[in-house]
Amino acid sequence: MEYSRRIVDDELDQLLPYLPAIALEGAKGVGKTATASGRAAAHVDLANRRQRLVIEADPVAVTGLPEPTFIDEWQLVPEVWDVVKTSVDDRPTGGRFSLAGSAGPTKDVRIHSGAGRIVRLAVRPMVMPERGLVAPTVSLAALLAGRPDLGGVSELRVADYVDEILRSGFPAVRALPEQARRAQLDSYLQRIVDHDLEENGARVRRPAALTAWLTAYAAATATTAAYTTILNAATAGEAEKPARQTVATYREELLRLYILDPVPAWTPALSPLKRLGLSPKHHLVDPALAARLLGATSASLLRGEGETVAPDSTLLGALFESLVTQTVRVLAQAAEASTYHLRTGDGTHEIDLVVEAADRRVLAIEVKLSDKCEDRDTRHLAWLKSQLGGRVVDAMVVNTGPVAYRRPDGVAVVPLALLGP
């Protein structure tokens, strides 16, 4: 399969010549290996048993290979991390190492943080501007920088976004015919339960219970539902529920494998906002996984069917927000910004996504599964502006409409297909 350039490639082009080591982190199948291997003079694949045995016997051997050296699935021999850190301490010249990992280290493996020596970059599935459907015309980085020009037309409609949700952002999955794609996503999920967790040190005593919990988590996509609510949904009708510690272990391990990708709550320093909610907003690494867990099809989503823990929303609305969130997080990272959500403690006000730059400038984003933008869709954005003033450099509604434009109140309205770096 021909390699499609990713947004993270631009980040690597800017960083790799000057930094001694970069770690690409993300779930299996997101494209870390393809991205990093094209820049490597030597490739160490620790998922290959023979190579792993050699490096386990002598982890320092990775420092004697041609540079740049790419070490794939480093977490399978976690001593490699500290070897690389020590090596770049001794010789901190640019372009020496890249590492890729589809899991963080287990609790019982201690590694030094690598702060200042190993820069970490998240790699997520392919997002909308990487999929080659429509040329983006609205730059998230420009909006965040206060350069608000926007325009452009998209031919994509709701049915097209449904197709993109179901096709997935995993590069190898997107290329498959529909039936094969479903089978591959099912296999991906099954592998997590049957293999990946145990390979990375976690014991799964009740695979069916883990699958049920994952399905309930999928039904909580784009919500801040309490973990007790998710557990109750996973065990409805069961007299015996898994212990909370067991469920917490599942959650921690799935986070470690980057399968869960929650958006943290925004708690801004030095702001007048008080009593904000602290719960993360739930997302899987790709909305296609949530759709498969819940048995969603194009027809069922377009009919408004599907399970969700939020009684006032549709599954399609939740999955569309997840697709938008996936895209915004990648674009924000490229703009050296962070992505959060905001919800007041009493639920009076919510902002779906808050992109914050290092200098505390904010781009506030609402997500709407609609081809129109009504006044009621912007009321929370107006509230945030009233609270933070000029710190909110722009506000945007991302929807499924055909045209990017700016409303009389100054809010940008941007079809997801037109949003780019």
Side-chain angles (χ1 to χ4, degrees):
M1 186 174 62
E2 184 178 353
Y3 181 73
S4 296
R5 187 171 175 85
R6 310 286 295 277
I7 291 170
V8 75
D9 282 302
D10 293 332
E11 295 178 80
L12 287 171
D13 287 348
Q14 294 167 12
L15 297 176
L16 194 58
Y18 308 102
L19 300 178
I22 294 178
L24 302 179
E25 300 178 333
K28 285 187 176 179
V30 297
K32 302 182 301 295
T33 300
T35 296
S37 59
R39 295 173 164 79
H43 181 181
V44 179
D45 181 9
L46 297 180
N48 180 299
R49 184 174 179 274
R50 291 185 177 180
Q51 291 193 38
R52 185 167 67 250
L53 289 173
V54 170
I55 300 303
E56 282 177 335
D58 181 17
V60 178
V62 300
T63 65
L65 299 172
E67 296 176 353
T69 303
F70 171 43
I71 306 167
D72 205 358
E73 299 293 354
W74 71 265
Q75 80 282 351
L76 298 178
V77 185
E79 296 83 359
V80 163
W81 182 275
D82 286 339
V83 167
V84 170
K85 184 190 74 67
T86 300
S87 181
V88 300
D89 279 345
D90 295 338
R91 183 161 59 90
T93 55
R96 295 192 58 203
F97 296 99
S98 59
L99 303 90
S102 55
T106 59
K107 284 184 176 179
D108 57 349
V109 174
R110 294 183 61 84
I111 62 169
H112 294 90
S113 71
R117 294 96 160 182
I118 305 175
V119 172
R120 302 166 105 139
L121 285 179
V123 181
R124 292 184 165 88
M126 294 178 71
V127 294
M128 288 296 290
E130 297 174 327
R131 299 184 185 190
L133 303 170
V134 178
T137 57
V138 179
S139 165
L140 182 140
L143 293 175
L144 187 59
R147 300 192 298 274
D149 291 342
L150 56 89
V153 177
S154 166
E155 296 182 356
L156 269 60
R157 299 297 180 264
V158 170
D160 301 304
Y161 289 111
V162 170
D163 186 52
E164 285 307 308
I165 289 167
L166 298 178
R167 286 189 68 190
S168 166
F170 292 117
V173 173
R174 288 185 56 76
L176 297 174
E178 187 175 347
Q179 185 174 356
R181 185 169 67 240
R182 291 194 297 267
Q184 187 66 24
L185 288 169
D186 289 342
S187 176
Y188 187 98
L189 290 162
Q190 195 64 46
R191 182 182 173 89
I192 293 167
V193 175
D194 293 343
H195 180 268
D196 290 350
L197 285 168
E198 293 202 357
E199 179 185 64
N200 286 280
R203 185 176 180 185
V204 180
R205 300 177 188 274
R206 296 174 56 189
L210 174 55
T211 300
W213 189 89
L214 258 176
T215 303
Y217 187 92
T221 292
T223 76
T224 57
Y227 289 119
T228 53
T229 300
I230 295 173
L231 176 58
N232 290 336
T235 56
E238 294 185 19
E240 290 190 19
K241 301 181 185 295
R244 287 189 178 183
Q245 183 56 46
T246 299
V247 175
T249 299
Y250 289 163
R251 188 170 70 247
E252 289 170 6
E253 295 301 328
L254 291 165
L255 283 167
R256 197 168 66 81
L257 291 171
Y258 308 106
I259 301 304
L260 307 187
D261 198 12
V263 175
W266 191 45
T267 54
L270 304 174
S271 99
L273 300 176
K274 306 297 181 186
R275 293 185 291 278
L276 297 179
L278 302 178
S279 299
K281 186 174 276 195
H282 306 303
H283 293 278
L284 289 166
V285 67
D286 194 295
L289 295 177
R292 285 307 297 157
L293 284 162
L294 296 167
T297 65
S298 177
S300 70
L301 289 173
L302 289 170
R303 288 195 300 265
E305 299 171 359
E307 300 178 45
T308 173
V309 302
D312 57 346
S313 66
T314 64
L315 178 58
L316 177 54
L319 295 177
F320 179 68
E321 182 175 332
S322 196
L323 183 65
V324 174
T325 299
Q326 187 183 64
T327 295
V328 167
R329 294 181 94 168
V330 170
L331 300 179
Q333 177 177 296
E336 301 181 67
S338 301
T339 306
Y340 306 93
H341 81 94
L342 182 149
R343 187 176 191 273
T344 56
D346 60 4
T348 304
H349 296 287
E350 297 183 60
I351 305 291
D352 291 328
L353 296 165
V354 176
V355 178
E356 184 179 36
D359 63 2
R360 298 172 55 228
R361 285 176 292 119
V362 167
L363 169 65
I365 302 172
E366 287 282 80
V367 180
K368 298 297 175 185
L369 182 70
S370 173
D371 60 357
K372 300 178 179 64
C373 180
E374 309 289 346
D375 288 346
R376 65 176 180 270
D377 298 332
T378 66
R379 65 188 187 279
H380 297 301
L381 299 173
W383 166 79
L384 188 65
K385 282 186 171 183
S386 73
Q387 297 296 303
L388 298 183
R391 183 171 173 185
V392 180
V393 295
D394 215 331
M396 172 169 58
V397 173
V398 177
N399 69 0
T400 61
V403 179
Y405 66 97
R406 195 169 290 277
R407 287 166 44 96
D409 59 8
V411 174
V413 180
V414 180
L416 173 58
L418 296 182
L419 188 60

